[in-house]
PDB file of all heavy atoms in Angstrom:
ATOM      1  N   LYS A 113      -0.839 -16.802  -0.600  1.00 88.00           N
ATOM      2  CA  LYS A 113      -1.417 -17.827   0.272  1.00 88.00           C
ATOM      3  C   LYS A 113      -1.125 -17.493   1.742  1.00 88.00           C
ATOM      4  O   LYS A 113      -2.011 -17.573   2.598  1.00 88.00           O
ATOM      5  CB  LYS A 113      -0.822 -19.186  -0.093  1.00 88.00           C
ATOM      6  CG  LYS A 113      -1.352 -20.332   0.725  1.00 88.00           C
ATOM      7  CD  LYS A 113      -2.574 -20.945   0.084  1.00 88.00           C
ATOM      8  CE  LYS A 113      -3.145 -22.052   0.962  1.00 88.00           C
ATOM      9  NZ  LYS A 113      -4.185 -22.794   0.302  1.00 88.00           N
ATOM     10  N   LEU A 114       0.108 -17.112   2.011  1.00 88.00           N
ATOM     11  CA  LEU A 114       0.483 -16.775   3.385  1.00 88.00           C
ATOM     12  C   LEU A 114      -0.230 -15.519   3.861  1.00 88.00           C
ATOM     13  O   LEU A 114      -0.696 -15.442   4.994  1.00 88.00           O
ATOM     14  CB  LEU A 114       1.998 -16.600   3.487  1.00 88.00           C
ATOM     15  CG  LEU A 114       2.772 -17.914   3.492  1.00 88.00           C
ATOM     16  CD1 LEU A 114       4.242 -17.675   3.202  1.00 88.00           C
ATOM     17  CD2 LEU A 114       2.604 -18.625   4.828  1.00 88.00           C
ATOM     18  N   MET A 115      -0.314 -14.518   2.973  1.00 89.00           N
ATOM     19  CA  MET A 115      -0.979 -13.262   3.332  1.00 89.00           C
ATOM     20  C   MET A 115      -2.433 -13.529   3.714  1.00 89.00           C
ATOM     21  O   MET A 115      -2.964 -12.928   4.640  1.00 89.00           O
ATOM     22  CB  MET A 115      -0.947 -12.275   2.160  1.00 89.00           C
ATOM     23  CG  MET A 115       0.280 -11.371   2.146  1.00 89.00           C
ATOM     24  SD  MET A 115       0.556 -10.531   0.557  1.00 89.00           S
ATOM     25  CE  MET A 115      -1.074 -10.116   0.036  1.00 89.00           C
ATOM     26  N   ARG A 116      -3.063 -14.438   2.968  1.00 87.00           N
ATOM     27  CA  ARG A 116      -4.480 -14.709   3.204  1.00 87.00           C
ATOM     28  C   ARG A 116      -4.700 -15.599   4.419  1.00 87.00           C
ATOM     29  O   ARG A 116      -5.781 -15.588   5.004  1.00 87.00           O
ATOM     30  CB  ARG A 116      -5.097 -15.369   1.966  1.00 87.00           C
ATOM     31  CG  ARG A 116      -5.211 -14.397   0.795  1.00 87.00           C
ATOM     32  CD  ARG A 116      -5.821 -15.087  -0.419  1.00 87.00           C
ATOM     33  NE  ARG A 116      -5.834 -14.197  -1.581  1.00 87.00           N
ATOM     34  CZ  ARG A 116      -6.138 -14.604  -2.812  1.00 87.00           C
ATOM     35  NH1 ARG A 116      -6.452 -15.868  -3.035  1.00 87.00           N
ATOM     36  NH2 ARG A 116      -6.123 -13.744  -3.806  1.00 87.00           N
ATOM     37  N   SER A 117      -3.725 -16.406   4.779  1.00 84.00           N
ATOM     38  CA  SER A 117      -3.944 -17.391   5.843  1.00 84.00           C
ATOM     39  C   SER A 117      -3.356 -16.994   7.189  1.00 84.00           C
ATOM     40  O   SER A 117      -3.888 -17.360   8.227  1.00 84.00           O
ATOM     41  CB  SER A 117      -3.321 -18.739   5.456  1.00 84.00           C
ATOM     42  OG  SER A 117      -3.366 -18.954   4.085  1.00 84.00           O
ATOM     43  N   LEU A 118      -2.256 -16.294   7.172  1.00 86.00           N
ATOM     44  CA  LEU A 118      -1.544 -16.028   8.420  1.00 86.00           C
ATOM     45  C   LEU A 118      -2.071 -14.784   9.125  1.00 86.00           C
ATOM     46  O   LEU A 118      -2.514 -13.845   8.473  1.00 86.00           O
ATOM     47  CB  LEU A 118      -0.059 -15.781   8.127  1.00 86.00           C
ATOM     48  CG  LEU A 118       0.864 -16.970   7.920  1.00 86.00           C
ATOM     49  CD1 LEU A 118       2.239 -16.450   7.539  1.00 86.00           C
ATOM     50  CD2 LEU A 118       0.955 -17.822   9.182  1.00 86.00           C
ATOM     51  N   PRO A 119      -1.984 -14.760  10.453  1.00 88.00           N
ATOM     52  CA  PRO A 119      -2.271 -13.510  11.160  1.00 88.00           C
ATOM     53  C   PRO A 119      -1.297 -12.427  10.673  1.00 88.00           C
ATOM     54  O   PRO A 119      -0.161 -12.744  10.310  1.00 88.00           O
ATOM     55  CB  PRO A 119      -1.988 -13.864  12.626  1.00 88.00           C
ATOM     56  CG  PRO A 119      -2.066 -15.353  12.694  1.00 88.00           C
ATOM     57  CD  PRO A 119      -1.638 -15.861  11.362  1.00 88.00           C
ATOM     58  N   SER A 120      -1.752 -11.184  10.654  1.00 90.00           N
ATOM     59  CA  SER A 120      -0.972 -10.124  10.006  1.00 90.00           C
ATOM     60  C   SER A 120       0.331  -9.797  10.720  1.00 90.00           C
ATOM     61  O   SER A 120       1.194  -9.119  10.178  1.00 90.00           O
ATOM     62  CB  SER A 120      -1.823  -8.860   9.878  1.00 90.00           C
ATOM     63  OG  SER A 120      -2.192  -8.403  11.170  1.00 90.00           O
ATOM     64  N   ARG A 121       0.515 -10.319  11.965  1.00 91.00           N
ATOM     65  CA  ARG A 121       1.756 -10.007  12.674  1.00 91.00           C
ATOM     66  C   ARG A 121       2.978 -10.703  12.044  1.00 91.00           C
ATOM     67  O   ARG A 121       4.108 -10.338  12.337  1.00 91.00           O
ATOM     68  CB  ARG A 121       1.634 -10.414  14.143  1.00 91.00           C
ATOM     69  CG  ARG A 121       1.509 -11.907  14.379  1.00 91.00           C
ATOM     70  CD  ARG A 121       1.280 -12.229  15.853  1.00 91.00           C
ATOM     71  NE  ARG A 121       0.826 -13.590  16.056  1.00 91.00           N
ATOM     72  CZ  ARG A 121       1.644 -14.617  16.308  1.00 91.00           C
ATOM     73  NH1 ARG A 121       2.944 -14.434  16.362  1.00 91.00           N
ATOM     74  NH2 ARG A 121       1.152 -15.839  16.474  1.00 91.00           N
ATOM     75  N   TYR A 122       2.733 -11.687  11.162  1.00 93.00           N
ATOM     76  CA  TYR A 122       3.862 -12.431  10.606  1.00 93.00           C
ATOM     77  C   TYR A 122       4.622 -11.655   9.541  1.00 93.00           C
ATOM     78  O   TYR A 122       4.037 -11.011   8.688  1.00 93.00           O
ATOM     79  CB  TYR A 122       3.384 -13.756  10.019  1.00 93.00           C
ATOM     80  CG  TYR A 122       3.206 -14.808  11.087  1.00 93.00           C
ATOM     81  CD1 TYR A 122       1.973 -14.978  11.706  1.00 93.00           C
ATOM     82  CD2 TYR A 122       4.271 -15.588  11.500  1.00 93.00           C
ATOM     83  CE1 TYR A 122       1.811 -15.916  12.705  1.00 93.00           C
ATOM     84  CE2 TYR A 122       4.115 -16.525  12.503  1.00 93.00           C
ATOM     85  CZ  TYR A 122       2.887 -16.680  13.101  1.00 93.00           C
ATOM     86  OH  TYR A 122       2.732 -17.597  14.105  1.00 93.00           O
ATOM     87  N   LYS A 123       5.950 -11.759   9.602  1.00 95.00           N
ATOM     88  CA  LYS A 123       6.820 -11.263   8.543  1.00 95.00           C
ATOM     89  C   LYS A 123       7.191 -12.466   7.693  1.00 95.00           C
ATOM     90  O   LYS A 123       7.548 -13.513   8.239  1.00 95.00           O
ATOM     91  CB  LYS A 123       8.088 -10.650   9.140  1.00 95.00           C
ATOM     92  CG  LYS A 123       7.828  -9.540  10.149  1.00 95.00           C
ATOM     93  CD  LYS A 123       7.244  -8.309   9.498  1.00 95.00           C
ATOM     94  CE  LYS A 123       7.008  -7.227  10.526  1.00 95.00           C
ATOM     95  NZ  LYS A 123       6.362  -6.047   9.942  1.00 95.00           N
ATOM     96  N   VAL A 124       7.096 -12.319   6.405  1.00 94.00           N
ATOM     97  CA  VAL A 124       7.328 -13.456   5.520  1.00 94.00           C
ATOM     98  C   VAL A 124       8.487 -13.185   4.568  1.00 94.00           C
ATOM     99  O   VAL A 124       8.521 -12.145   3.907  1.00 94.00           O
ATOM    100  CB  VAL A 124       6.049 -13.761   4.705  1.00 94.00           C
ATOM    101  CG1 VAL A 124       6.301 -14.913   3.744  1.00 94.00           C
ATOM    102  CG2 VAL A 124       4.879 -14.072   5.624  1.00 94.00           C
ATOM    103  N   ASP A 125       9.438 -14.110   4.527  1.00 96.00           N
ATOM    104  CA  ASP A 125      10.510 -14.038   3.537  1.00 96.00           C
ATOM    105  C   ASP A 125      10.399 -15.255   2.635  1.00 96.00           C
ATOM    106  O   ASP A 125      10.294 -16.384   3.124  1.00 96.00           O
ATOM    107  CB  ASP A 125      11.885 -14.033   4.227  1.00 96.00           C
ATOM    108  CG  ASP A 125      12.121 -12.746   5.004  1.00 96.00           C
ATOM    109  OD1 ASP A 125      11.855 -11.668   4.434  1.00 96.00           O
ATOM    110  OD2 ASP A 125      12.538 -12.811   6.169  1.00 96.00           O
ATOM    111  N   ILE A 126      10.404 -15.017   1.335  1.00 95.00           N
ATOM    112  CA  ILE A 126      10.296 -16.117   0.381  1.00 95.00           C
ATOM    113  C   ILE A 126      11.536 -16.127  -0.506  1.00 95.00           C
ATOM    114  O   ILE A 126      11.902 -15.090  -1.077  1.00 95.00           O
ATOM    115  CB  ILE A 126       9.003 -15.980  -0.460  1.00 95.00           C
ATOM    116  CG1 ILE A 126       7.793 -16.151   0.463  1.00 95.00           C
ATOM    117  CG2 ILE A 126       8.979 -17.020  -1.572  1.00 95.00           C
ATOM    118  CD1 ILE A 126       6.468 -15.920  -0.190  1.00 95.00           C
ATOM    119  N   LYS A 127      12.172 -17.276  -0.596  1.00 95.00           N
ATOM    120  CA  LYS A 127      13.405 -17.345  -1.375  1.00 95.00           C
ATOM    121  C   LYS A 127      13.452 -18.612  -2.212  1.00 95.00           C
ATOM    122  O   LYS A 127      12.884 -19.639  -1.842  1.00 95.00           O
ATOM    123  CB  LYS A 127      14.610 -17.327  -0.425  1.00 95.00           C
ATOM    124  CG  LYS A 127      14.774 -15.999   0.293  1.00 95.00           C
ATOM    125  CD  LYS A 127      16.224 -15.743   0.667  1.00 95.00           C
ATOM    126  CE  LYS A 127      16.507 -14.268   0.795  1.00 95.00           C
ATOM    127  NZ  LYS A 127      15.857 -13.623   1.936  1.00 95.00           N
ATOM    128  N   VAL A 128      14.142 -18.507  -3.331  1.00 95.00           N
ATOM    129  CA  VAL A 128      14.448 -19.670  -4.152  1.00 95.00           C
ATOM    130  C   VAL A 128      15.596 -20.409  -3.471  1.00 95.00           C
ATOM    131  O   VAL A 128      16.520 -19.768  -2.953  1.00 95.00           O
ATOM    132  CB  VAL A 128      14.865 -19.192  -5.558  1.00 95.00           C
ATOM    133  CG1 VAL A 128      15.397 -20.341  -6.386  1.00 95.00           C
ATOM    134  CG2 VAL A 128      13.712 -18.520  -6.260  1.00 95.00           C
ATOM    135  N   ALA A 129      15.546 -21.728  -3.456  1.00 93.00           N
ATOM    136  CA  ALA A 129      16.638 -22.494  -2.835  1.00 93.00           C
ATOM    137  C   ALA A 129      17.957 -22.146  -3.527  1.00 93.00           C
ATOM    138  O   ALA A 129      18.013 -22.058  -4.762  1.00 93.00           O
ATOM    139  CB  ALA A 129      16.359 -23.983  -2.951  1.00 93.00           C
ATOM    140  N   PRO A 130      19.008 -21.922  -2.747  1.00 94.00           N
ATOM    141  CA  PRO A 130      20.286 -21.513  -3.332  1.00 94.00           C
ATOM    142  C   PRO A 130      20.740 -22.456  -4.443  1.00 94.00           C
ATOM    143  O   PRO A 130      20.681 -23.676  -4.284  1.00 94.00           O
ATOM    144  CB  PRO A 130      21.254 -21.574  -2.143  1.00 94.00           C
ATOM    145  CG  PRO A 130      20.394 -21.404  -0.934  1.00 94.00           C
ATOM    146  CD  PRO A 130      19.077 -22.035  -1.282  1.00 94.00           C
ATOM    147  N   GLY A 131      21.112 -21.880  -5.562  1.00 92.00           N
ATOM    148  CA  GLY A 131      21.652 -22.673  -6.663  1.00 92.00           C
ATOM    149  C   GLY A 131      20.625 -23.348  -7.544  1.00 92.00           C
ATOM    150  O   GLY A 131      20.986 -24.141  -8.415  1.00 92.00           O
TER     151      GLY A 131
END
Side-chain angles (χ1 to χ4, degrees):
Chain A
K113 181 90 183 189
L114 284 164
M115 270 164 39
R116 290 180 185 170
S117 328
L118 279 175
S120 62
R121 66 185 165 93
Y122 279 92
K123 304 292 180 184
V124 178
D125 292 313
I126 294 175
K127 292 207 155 69
V128 171

